[in-house]
């Protein structure tokens, strides 16, 4: 649909993979509709999946002041003040070497005990998250639909995509307490999981070895996406890639392209426990 914005969060190492083909089909079909499509190719971006102290940067403003000082014996050439709210540090350039005068203070709200959720919540309110997180949050904020394209790893997402969810969908941006599920901050946006499996469709039934595929969707669709307010569309699952023929793969790609033609008319699933465990 013309004017709509779509973000595809893509998590596969190989551009020539079937996941790569599914991503390509989505970009082409949605672009034909007049949508503005953005792709976050996490492996190509070398996206950092680890949630660490480095995600809290502080607001940095650099002010360089060149001073004529009366200490020729030290040959002091300049002083640099670096403000890192709520603290700062000072460099002195002396004989072409920078040295500390005042050690930089930590930008964490509690430097003694690191609590990632609390620190990112406070940092988000101060626009003090790392630049890669802020960029991904901007993409999500602008999107009408977010598609997650990935292979199923251990009934879940690849680590790099899990890290994206951990770091990007932080408290303050995607939800708050209160402010989750139907009141989540990303309400009004659509989300869709497009994933591939090695096992066949028969394996992912209630009577199959792996159980109903809806079981492993519960923490992803309900505990993550719906928790943040997304309206969740039915998943697109390409089953049995390990045993699929080229012709069967072509049918899967065509089915995905056909679905995308009417994606804006689809109704979200009912995000209740019964959809996952009783139907």
């Amino acid at each position: 649909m013309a004017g709509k914005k779509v973000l595809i969060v893509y998590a596969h190492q190989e551009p020539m993979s079937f996941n790569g083909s599914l991503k390509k089909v989505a970009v082409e079909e949605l672009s034909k509709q007049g949508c503005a499509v953005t792709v976050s190719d996490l492996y190509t971006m070398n996206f950092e999946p680890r949630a660490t102290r480095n995600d809290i940067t502080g607001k940095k403003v650099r002010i360089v002041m060149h001073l004529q000082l009366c200490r020729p014996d030290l040959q002091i050439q300049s002083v640099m003040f670096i403000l890192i709210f709520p603290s700062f540090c000072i460099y002195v350039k002396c004989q072409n070497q920078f040295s500390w005068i005042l050690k930089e203070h930590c930008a964490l709200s509690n430097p003694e005990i690191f609590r990632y959720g609390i620190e990112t919540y406070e940092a988000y309110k101060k626009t003090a998250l790392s630049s890669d997180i802020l960029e991904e949050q901007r993409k999500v904020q602008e999107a009408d639909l977010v598609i997650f394209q990935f292979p199923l790893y251990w009934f879940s997402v690849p680590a790099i995509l899990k890290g994206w969810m951990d770091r990007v969908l932080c408290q303050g941006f995607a939800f708050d307490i209160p402010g989750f599920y139907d009141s989540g901050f990303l309400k009004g946006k659509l989300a869709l999981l497009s994933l591939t499996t090695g096992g066949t469709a028969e394996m992912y039934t209630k009577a199959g070895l792996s159980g109903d595929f809806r079981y492993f969707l519960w923490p992803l669709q309900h505990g993550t996406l719906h928790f943040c307010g997304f309206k969740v569309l039915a998943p697109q699952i390409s089953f049995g890639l390990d045993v699929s023929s080229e012709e069967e793969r072509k049918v899967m790609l065509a089915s995905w392209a056909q679905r995308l033609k009417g994606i804006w008319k689809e109704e979200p699933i009912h995000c209740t426990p019964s959809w996952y465990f009783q139907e």
Side-chain angles (χ1 to χ4, degrees), residues 52-53 55-56 106-126 128-129:
T52 69
R53 295 169 184 258
D55 291 347
I56 296 89
C106 184
L108 299 177
S109 61
N110 184 354
E112 301 301 322
I113 301 176
F114 182 67
R115 295 182 174 90
Y116 185 81
I118 294 173
E119 293 297 345
T120 52
Y121 181 39
E122 294 300 321
Y124 175 76
K125 292 187 289 186
K126 300 172 185 175
L129 291 169

Side-chain angles (χ1 to χ4, degrees), residues 5-33:
K5 294 184 178 181
V6 181
L7 170 62
I8 301 176
V9 184
Y10 171 66
H12 199 286
Q13 308 91 330
E14 176 52 59
M16 301 298 290
S17 66
F18 190 74
N19 272 268
S21 297
L22 290 165
K23 182 258 295 180
K24 182 179 178 182
V25 165
V27 171
E28 291 176 351
E29 176 55 39
L30 292 167
S31 297
K32 286 179 185 176
Q33 298 176 21

Side-chain angles (χ1 to χ4, degrees), residues 205-264:
T205 62
K206 288 185 178 180
L209 288 173
S210 298
D212 196 314
F213 69 88
R214 297 188 186 201
Y215 299 161
F216 67 72
L217 292 176
W218 168 257
L220 298 175
Q221 291 188 162
H222 188 75
T224 304
L225 301 178
H226 183 212
F227 187 88
C228 295
F230 280 110
K231 295 183 183 300
V232 182
L233 299 178
Q236 183 75 16
I237 306 180
S238 301
F239 289 106
L241 291 188
D242 289 350
V243 295
S244 298
S245 66
E246 282 300 311
E247 190 59 35
E248 288 171 327
R249 292 185 175 211
K250 289 179 181 178
V251 171
M252 293 181 201
L253 292 174
S255 174
W256 179 223
Q258 184 61 38
R259 180 185 176 186
L260 289 169
K261 293 181 187 297
I263 198 70
W264 301 107

Side-chain angles (χ1 to χ4, degrees), residues 168-189:
V168 175
L169 303 178
C170 69
Q171 184 177 359
F173 170 71
F175 68 94
D176 209 336
I177 309 296
F180 51 90
Y181 287 125
D182 290 341
S183 300
F185 292 171
L186 303 180
K187 60 186 177 182
K189 299 181 183 296

Side-chain angles (χ1 to χ4, degrees), residues 11-276:
H12 199 286
Q13 308 91 330
E14 176 52 59
M16 301 298 290
S17 66
F18 190 74
N19 272 268
S21 297
L22 290 165
K23 182 258 295 180
K24 182 179 178 182
V25 165
V27 171
E28 291 176 351
E29 176 55 39
L30 292 167
S31 297
K32 286 179 185 176
Q33 298 176 21
C35 300
V37 182
T38 300
V39 177
S40 283
D41 185 339
L42 300 185
Y43 284 102
T44 298
M45 293 161 57
N46 197 27
F47 186 81
E48 171 60 76
R50 297 172 298 174
T52 69
R53 295 169 184 258
N54 293 333
D55 291 347
I56 296 89
T57 63
K59 263 186 180 177
K60 296 184 180 180
V61 180
R62 290 177 171 83
I63 305 173
V64 180
M65 302 176 64
H66 292 276
L67 305 175
Q68 297 296 322
L69 301 176
C70 57
R71 291 291 304 276
D73 55 315
L74 294 179
Q75 299 182 28
I76 297 177
Q77 299 171 357
S78 64
V79 177
M80 178 185 290
F81 295 88
I82 302 181
L83 306 183
I84 307 177
F85 298 105
S87 190
F88 67 93
C89 62
I90 302 175
Y91 281 113
V92 172
K93 189 174 184 182
C94 179
Q95 296 178 335
N96 296 318
Q97 298 293 323
F98 282 106
S99 59
W100 290 104
I101 281 186
L102 178 65
K103 186 177 181 180
E104 178 181 348
H105 291 178
C106 184
L108 299 177
S109 61
N110 184 354
E112 301 301 322
I113 301 176
F114 182 67
R115 295 182 174 90
Y116 185 81
I118 294 173
E119 293 297 345
T120 52
Y121 181 39
E122 294 300 321
Y124 175 76
K125 292 187 289 186
K126 300 172 185 175
T127 320
L129 291 169
S130 61
S131 59
D132 60 336
I133 294 177
L134 293 176
E135 176 62 14
E136 294 305 298
Q137 289 178 342
R138 180 192 64 78
K139 295 175 186 177
V140 173
Q141 195 62 58
E142 292 179 354
D144 299 294
L145 166 64
V146 181
I147 297 173
F148 297 89
Q149 182 63 61
F150 61 95
L152 190 69
Y153 280 14
W154 296 114
F155 283 19
S156 187
V157 297
I160 198 167
L161 179 52
K162 179 60 165 61
W164 186 96
M165 293 175 173
D166 289 345
R167 298 177 68 227
V168 175
L169 303 178
C170 69
Q171 184 177 359
F173 170 71
F175 68 94
D176 209 336
I177 309 296
F180 51 90
Y181 287 125
D182 290 341
S183 300
F185 292 171
L186 303 180
K187 60 186 177 182
K189 299 181 183 296
L190 299 172
L192 189 159
L193 300 180
S194 174
L195 61 125
T196 61
T197 72
T200 62
E202 291 74 21
M203 291 178 64
Y204 290 98
T205 62
K206 288 185 178 180
L209 288 173
S210 298
D212 196 314
F213 69 88
R214 297 188 186 201
Y215 299 161
F216 67 72
L217 292 176
W218 168 257
L220 298 175
Q221 291 188 162
H222 188 75
T224 304
L225 301 178
H226 183 212
F227 187 88
C228 295
F230 280 110
K231 295 183 183 300
V232 182
L233 299 178
Q236 183 75 16
I237 306 180
S238 301
F239 289 106
L241 291 188
D242 289 350
V243 295
S244 298
S245 66
E246 282 300 311
E247 190 59 35
E248 288 171 327
R249 292 185 175 211
K250 289 179 181 178
V251 171
M252 293 181 201
L253 292 174
S255 174
W256 179 223
Q258 184 61 38
R259 180 185 176 186
L260 289 169
K261 293 181 187 297
I263 198 70
W264 301 107
K265 297 179 181 179
E266 289 191 13
E267 291 293 324
I269 65 172
H270 296 289
C271 278
T272 60
S274 61
W275 188 90
Y276 296 90

